[in-house]
Amino acid sequence: MGAGRPGYDEKLLEILRAAAAVFAEKGYHRASIRDISRATGISLSGLYYYVRSKEELLFLIQDHCFGTVLDNVERLLAGETDPVRRFRLFVENHVRFFVNNMREMKVLSHEADSLTGEYRRRVQAKKKRYTDLCMSILEELRPPDTGIDLRVATFALFGMLNWIYNWYRPGRDVPVAELADGFSRLFLQGCLSPASGVAEAMPVEPAPSIWRR
Amino acid sequence: MGAGRPGYDEKLLEILRAAAAVFAEKGYHRASIRDISRATGISLSGLYYYVRSKEELLFLIQDHCFGTVLDNVERLLAGETDPVRRFRLFVENHVRFFVNNMREMKVLSHEADSLTGEYRRRVQAKKKRYTDLCMSILEELRPPDTGIDLRVATFALFGMLNWIYNWYRPGRDVPVAELADGFSRLFLQGCLSPASGVAEAMPVEPAPSIWRR
Amino acid sequence: MGAGRPGYDEKLLEILRAAAAVFAEKGYHRASIRDISRATGISLSGLYYYVRSKEELLFLIQDHCFGTVLDNVERLLAGETDPVRRFRLFVENHVRFFVNNMREMKVLSHEADSLTGEYRRRVQAKKKRYTDLCMSILEELRPPDTGIDLRVATFALFGMLNWIYNWYRPGRDVPVAELADGFSRLFLQGCLSPASGVAEAMPVEPAPSIWRR
Amino acid sequence: MGAGRPGYDEKLLEILRAAAAVFAEKGYHRASIRDISRATGISLSGLYYYVRSKEELLFLIQDHCFGTVLDNVERLLAGETDPVRRFRLFVENHVRFFVNNMREMKVLSHEADSLTGEYRRRVQAKKKRYTDLCMSILEELRPPDTGIDLRVATFALFGMLNWIYNWYRPGRDVPVAELADGFSRLFLQGCLSPASGVAEAMPVEPAPSIWRR
DNA sequence: AATGAATGAGGGTTCATTCAT
DNA sequence: CATGAATGAACCCTCATTCAT
């Protein structure tokens, strides 16, 4: 409560922030607790006062990220009923958080499988809630005759959005607003435009293993 | 090509295949050379006859994957000049390889940053060639007034395509042809349809850090 | 002795009791001060108000145990001069304390070597006093011609008595009185009976190392 | 088979021997793998080529010890049917092994509870076989009217025998043959002599907790 | 062409202990 | 009196890699 010394929670948040940066930089498994000790200035064993294990560190980051994104999108969508506007809000919330917290979001996307047991279950529950929300928005949106599978459309959208950390460089690429705008228009037009003859099917060959001789 | 005993190259390919499976399963850093030794039946030290280091193993996999995909797409596009058909061929080649070699492609997508030095440079060169090819196809395709940034569009497409390994389950989801078709139509219509008023901009708020209190 | 709040000494005794239980359960070295903190409900650092170190904790337990047993046996033997009765009293005191304080006595027997320096010296001094007392009792008792070495007899007795914690389960095995009685008779008859021819020596072979091939 | 370089098994035995010495000296939990590395001259990680874990090291020692003692006593008793001679052989085998392998036997006695899971189960199985054998020998031996409980007698014997490592110093104490002889006579006479009036019961007081004030 | 044996470096984690408050 | 926060040292163990054979 005091403005002065940081409390337990503030210190934990600081650790999580630093850990997220380290995990984003080197990947969860390559990162060592010693790296995080260095990044925070807290001694190796001191970290264990705040956190039970390295895995809990990852869990807390992922849980906090998903929690924030979920809370925010649910607050944003609260009064809105127009499907298109709901879609726009969803995309913009996602993109904004991604760009403003790229390191954390990279950890979220990249280390989805690095958790185990109860930790994994809890994060996946939040992830499912988020995915279901997205799918329900798309469902209201979609005209019945587009011929694009809902699941395919949903994950196409997530793919677009989550790939950001692989290429987007703030300052050099288009600003966030434009990015969200671009994604939204691309996806909306892609789903809502009448199917043009321009995209008729082409023969798909067998596609052998990469390792064939 | 050899008749009787498998030659050096065949054995190497076998190792790469097994290693790709192990890397896909556990991730590059968590996987140990011992895991690969177990998976191949070759002794720990025996592997070093075929491969200089664990990193070279990853390099060979990524290089081989990119090489194959690149070779194939270049062969496919060889005679084709129609922009839309070129686009379709590109997407279909990518999707087919992804679905038919999901483990390897996961390693390709997921462990992009795990290589260092010369290895990294060589893989990134191939990756750039592939990205440039895709961008040039999109450039021919794009009508000038869509208002979607080319780089954004390109990576939106790659995001859609590369995210596959995170959700697609062969047998349970739509078949490959339909998948490629869905992606193509979504993207083409998204880029080529006249900008509808449906997607006008919305105010984007500042989006604070995930860690704010 | 104080009425209301428990005093320093009472709290210390409580700590020692809890610590003895923990040490008996997990062994001195495997037990952690945190275990004792948990067992007492006193905070980790709070324990250090009562005790200088983990080793002092062990020392206090051992010293208190030996002190009590010694005091008691000396009080019991005070007026008694008959050798056999003195022996019986010694054994019964020992057995009773063992069975009624098995956890503590296990720590006493098992962690004899875990103390160092001054702590060790002080406990060993008490142990020697106790051993000497036992030996002197046996000496008065022993008929000169039995042919059993006094030191051997003494430690045979201690072995019998101290091994209790390895097998005795109160409630399931014979009651304490019977236990003490059994030990006493076994040992007394063993020492005092005229040597029967029944136990003539047998050839003892060299007995090589366990590890020979 | 070759006389020259030591094979895998010989090296393992050497490690076990050294580890037994270290465990006997410092106790299992206080001993570190580094201590064993130092004692053997094998690098820390090198030890893990021979042994899966520190616990396996303890298991192998205990299993080997019990195995050897069991094998030997069973071979010794093979042709013998006279109860008294069987008893003598049992005691002598036990004592001889104890004195000739004091370090190992101390580990056997002292670290009985340090194993867990399957390791523990397997050692306890051998221990039970050994205890049962002893008990069956005593049963044949015991005259029906002595009034000493069989279980008490058995563990009194084991106590005497297993306590050796706490006091016996080869060279300074009586030689092994005499030691075994002393134990045998003490126990045999103790069990077989007619109950003398000398050891009539005495009142056993309640014996409060060590910690009472 | 292949392996058994070995190692240095580093991994995550626990520990007894301290000290300002 | 009692504690929350912090630490250095040590723990067991795994790793990629080497080298004589």
Side-chain angles (χ1 to χ4, degrees):
Chain A
M1 179 148 303
R5 288 170 301 98
Y8 174 93
D9 284 349
E10 268 137 357
K11 205 133 194 186
L12 176 56
L13 285 181
E14 198 184 308
I15 291 172
L16 294 182
R17 210 172 2 238
V22 172
F23 288 164
E25 171 93 16
K26 314 184 70 167
Y28 172 69
H29 287 107
R30 244 185 112 237
S32 80
I33 293 274
R34 277 161 177 90
D35 290 330
I36 292 160
S37 159
R38 224 169 292 129
T40 53
I42 299 177
S43 78
L44 189 54
S45 43
L47 289 173
Y48 283 84
Y49 181 75
Y50 294 93
V51 143
R52 222 182 292 279
S53 68
K54 188 187 175 188
E55 194 178 8
E56 186 176 278
L57 216 42
L58 179 57
F59 165 72
L60 288 175
I61 292 169
Q62 298 205 347
D63 195 56
H64 189 88
C65 284
F66 255 126
T68 307
V69 172
L70 257 174
D71 282 359
N72 269 62
V73 79
E74 282 170 350
R75 202 168 338 107
L76 274 177
L77 294 178
E80 190 57 69
T81 59
D82 176 57
V84 168
R85 295 179 69 91
R86 284 173 65 82
F87 173 78
R88 291 287 322 236
L89 287 170
F90 182 89
V91 168
E92 283 178 17
N93 182 68
H94 193 110
V95 171
R96 261 186 303 129
F97 267 101
F98 240 93
V99 170
N100 277 67
N101 304 274
M102 289 233 301
R103 291 186 310 227
E104 287 78 2
M105 295 316 223
K106 176 177 181 185
V107 173
L108 208 55
S109 298
H110 206 79
E111 309 291 354
D113 289 350
S114 298
L115 289 178
T116 66
E118 180 61 11
Y119 288 144
R120 183 195 203 99
R121 230 166 291 130
R122 283 175 57 185
V123 168
Q124 281 188 328
K126 278 203 173 131
K127 190 188 293 192
K128 184 164 182 349
R129 239 175 81 203
Y130 193 61
T131 306
D132 287 348
L133 172 61
C134 179
M135 239 156 158
S136 77
I137 292 176
L138 296 189
E139 202 157 25
E140 302 162 25
L141 199 65
R142 202 182 49 128
D145 60 340
T146 308
I148 297 174
D149 184 77
L150 177 62
R151 205 168 127 83
V152 171
T154 304
F155 286 107
L157 178 62
F158 274 123
M160 280 172 26
L161 300 183
N162 291 339
W163 202 245
I164 291 177
Y165 74 83
N166 276 295
W167 60 274
Y168 185 77
R169 296 294 164 256
R172 294 191 27 195
D173 280 302
V174 298
V176 186
E178 205 171 318
L179 185 62
D181 197 54
F183 281 143
S184 295
R185 287 161 68 171
L186 178 52
F187 189 82
L188 274 182
Q189 289 168 189
C191 280
L192 299 185
S193 299
S196 60
V198 98
E200 87 282 9
M202 297 190 69
V204 174
E205 301 164 28
S209 160
I210 285 282
W211 306 106
R212 88 196 177 287
R213 304 187 31 104
Chain B
M1 183 153 295
R5 293 169 300 108
Y8 175 92
D9 284 349
E10 268 138 356
K11 208 134 192 187
L12 176 55
L13 286 180
E14 200 183 307
I15 291 172
L16 294 181
R17 209 174 1 240
V22 172
F23 288 165
E25 174 88 18
K26 313 183 71 167
Y28 171 69
H29 287 106
R30 251 186 103 234
S32 77
I33 293 273
R34 267 165 174 89
D35 291 329
I36 292 159
S37 158
R38 225 171 289 130
T40 53
I42 298 176
S43 81
L44 195 53
S45 36
L47 289 173
Y48 283 83
Y49 176 74
Y50 294 95
V51 143
R52 219 180 298 277
S53 69
K54 189 186 175 189
E55 194 178 8
E56 185 177 276
L57 215 42
L58 179 58
F59 165 71
L60 288 175
I61 292 169
Q62 297 205 347
D63 194 56
H64 189 87
C65 283
F66 256 126
T68 307
V69 173
L70 257 175
D71 281 0
N72 268 63
V73 79
E74 282 168 351
R75 203 170 336 109
L76 272 177
L77 293 179
E80 189 57 69
T81 58
D82 176 58
V84 169
R85 295 179 70 89
R86 285 173 65 82
F87 172 77
R88 292 284 327 230
L89 286 170
F90 183 89
V91 168
E92 282 178 17
N93 181 67
H94 193 110
V95 171
R96 262 184 304 128
F97 267 102
F98 239 93
V99 171
N100 278 66
N101 304 275
M102 289 231 299
R103 292 188 307 230
E104 287 78 2
M105 295 317 226
K106 177 177 181 186
V107 174
L108 208 56
S109 297
H110 207 80
E111 309 291 354
D113 290 350
S114 298
L115 289 179
T116 66
E118 179 61 11
Y119 287 144
R120 183 193 203 100
R121 231 166 290 130
R122 283 176 56 185
V123 168
Q124 282 188 328
K126 277 202 173 131
K127 191 188 291 191
K128 184 162 183 347
R129 239 176 81 203
Y130 192 62
T131 306
D132 287 349
L133 171 61
C134 179
M135 239 156 158
S136 76
I137 291 176
L138 295 189
E139 201 156 27
E140 303 162 24
L141 198 64
R142 202 181 49 128
D145 58 340
T146 307
I148 298 174
D149 183 78
L150 176 61
R151 206 167 126 84
V152 172
T154 304
F155 285 107
L157 178 61
F158 274 124
M160 279 173 25
L161 300 184
N162 291 339
W163 201 246
I164 291 177
Y165 75 83
N166 275 296
W167 62 274
Y168 185 77
R169 296 294 164 257
R172 293 190 31 195
D173 281 303
V174 298
V176 187
E178 206 172 318
L179 185 62
D181 196 53
F183 281 144
S184 295
R185 287 161 66 170
L186 179 52
F187 189 83
L188 274 183
Q189 289 168 189
C191 281
L192 300 185
S193 298
S196 60
V198 99
E200 87 281 10
M202 298 189 68
V204 174
E205 301 163 29
S209 160
I210 285 281
W211 304 107
R212 89 198 175 286
R213 305 187 30 109
Chain C
M1 181 147 298
R5 292 170 301 105
Y8 175 93
D9 283 351
E10 268 138 357
K11 207 133 192 186
L12 176 56
L13 285 181
E14 199 184 307
I15 290 172
L16 293 182
R17 205 170 9 234
V22 172
F23 288 164
E25 174 88 18
K26 314 183 69 167
Y28 171 70
H29 287 106
R30 252 186 104 236
S32 77
I33 294 272
R34 266 165 175 89
D35 291 329
I36 292 158
S37 158
R38 224 170 290 130
T40 53
I42 299 176
S43 81
L44 195 54
S45 36
L47 289 173
Y48 282 84
Y49 176 74
Y50 294 95
V51 143
R52 217 181 300 278
S53 70
K54 188 185 173 189
E55 193 178 9
E56 185 177 275
L57 215 42
L58 179 58
F59 165 72
L60 288 175
I61 292 168
Q62 296 205 348
D63 194 55
H64 189 89
C65 283
F66 256 126
T68 307
V69 173
L70 257 175
D71 282 0
N72 270 64
V73 80
E74 282 167 351
R75 199 166 344 105
L76 273 177
L77 294 178
E80 190 57 68
T81 58
D82 176 58
V84 169
R85 294 179 70 88
R86 285 173 64 82
F87 172 78
R88 291 287 323 234
L89 286 169
F90 183 88
V91 168
E92 281 177 17
N93 181 68
H94 193 108
V95 171
R96 262 185 304 127
F97 266 102
F98 238 94
V99 171
N100 277 65
N101 305 275
M102 288 232 301
R103 290 187 309 228
E104 287 79 2
M105 293 318 223
K106 178 178 180 185
V107 174
L108 209 56
S109 297
H110 206 80
E111 309 292 353
D113 290 349
S114 298
L115 289 178
T116 66
E118 179 61 12
Y119 288 144
R120 182 193 205 100
R121 231 165 291 128
R122 284 175 55 188
V123 169
Q124 282 189 327
K126 277 202 173 130
K127 190 187 295 191
K128 184 162 183 349
R129 240 175 80 203
Y130 192 62
T131 306
D132 287 349
L133 172 60
C134 180
M135 239 155 155
S136 76
I137 292 177
L138 295 189
E139 201 155 26
E140 303 163 22
L141 197 66
R142 200 179 52 127
D145 60 339
T146 308
I148 296 174
D149 182 78
L150 176 61
R151 205 167 127 83
V152 172
T154 304
F155 286 106
L157 178 61
F158 274 124
M160 278 173 27
L161 300 184
N162 292 337
W163 200 246
I164 290 177
Y165 74 84
N166 276 297
W167 61 274
Y168 185 76
R169 295 295 164 255
R172 293 190 31 193
D173 280 303
V174 300
V176 186
E178 206 171 317
L179 185 61
D181 196 55
F183 282 143
S184 295
R185 288 161 68 170
L186 178 52
F187 189 84
L188 275 182
Q189 289 168 190
C191 281
L192 300 184
S193 299
S196 62
V198 98
E200 88 281 10
M202 297 190 68
V204 173
E205 302 164 29
S209 160
I210 285 281
W211 305 107
R212 88 195 175 287
R213 303 187 32 107
Chain D
M1 180 152 299
R5 289 171 301 101
Y8 174 95
D9 284 350
E10 268 135 0
K11 205 131 193 190
L12 176 56
L13 286 180
E14 199 184 307
I15 291 173
L16 294 181
R17 207 169 8 235
V22 173
F23 288 164
E25 173 91 16
K26 313 183 73 166
Y28 172 69
H29 287 108
R30 244 184 111 239
S32 80
I33 293 275
R34 273 161 177 90
D35 291 330
I36 292 159
S37 159
R38 222 170 293 127
T40 53
I42 298 177
S43 79
L44 187 55
S45 43
L47 289 173
Y48 283 85
Y49 181 75
Y50 293 94
V51 144
R52 221 181 294 277
S53 68
K54 187 185 175 190
E55 193 178 8
E56 186 176 278
L57 215 42
L58 179 57
F59 165 72
L60 288 175
I61 292 168
Q62 296 205 347
D63 195 56
H64 190 88
C65 284
F66 255 127
T68 306
V69 173
L70 257 174
D71 281 0
N72 268 62
V73 79
E74 281 169 350
R75 201 166 342 106
L76 273 177
L77 293 177
E80 189 58 68
T81 58
D82 176 58
V84 168
R85 296 179 68 90
R86 284 174 65 82
F87 172 79
R88 293 283 326 231
L89 287 170
F90 182 88
V91 168
E92 283 179 17
N93 180 67
H94 193 108
V95 171
R96 261 185 304 128
F97 267 103
F98 241 91
V99 171
N100 278 66
N101 304 275
M102 288 233 301
R103 292 186 309 226
E104 287 79 2
M105 294 318 224
K106 177 178 181 186
V107 174
L108 208 56
S109 297
H110 206 78
E111 309 292 354
D113 289 350
S114 299
L115 289 179
T116 67
E118 179 61 12
Y119 288 144
R120 184 192 202 102
R121 230 167 290 132
R122 283 176 58 186
V123 169
Q124 281 188 328
K126 277 201 174 133
K127 190 188 293 190
K128 184 165 183 346
R129 239 175 82 204
Y130 192 63
T131 306
D132 287 349
L133 172 61
C134 179
M135 238 157 158
S136 76
I137 291 176
L138 295 189
E139 201 156 27
E140 303 163 25
L141 197 65
R142 201 180 49 128
D145 59 339
T146 308
I148 297 175
D149 183 77
L150 176 61
R151 205 169 126 84
V152 172
T154 304
F155 287 107
L157 178 60
F158 274 124
M160 280 173 25
L161 300 184
N162 292 337
W163 202 246
I164 291 176
Y165 73 84
N166 275 295
W167 61 274
Y168 185 77
R169 296 295 164 256
R172 294 191 29 197
D173 281 302
V174 298
V176 187
E178 206 172 317
L179 184 63
D181 196 54
F183 282 143
S184 295
R185 288 161 66 169
L186 177 52
F187 189 84
L188 273 182
Q189 289 169 188
C191 281
L192 300 185
S193 297
S196 61
V198 98
E200 87 282 8
M202 297 190 68
V204 173
E205 301 164 28
S209 160
I210 285 281
W211 305 108
R212 89 199 175 284
R213 302 184 34 102

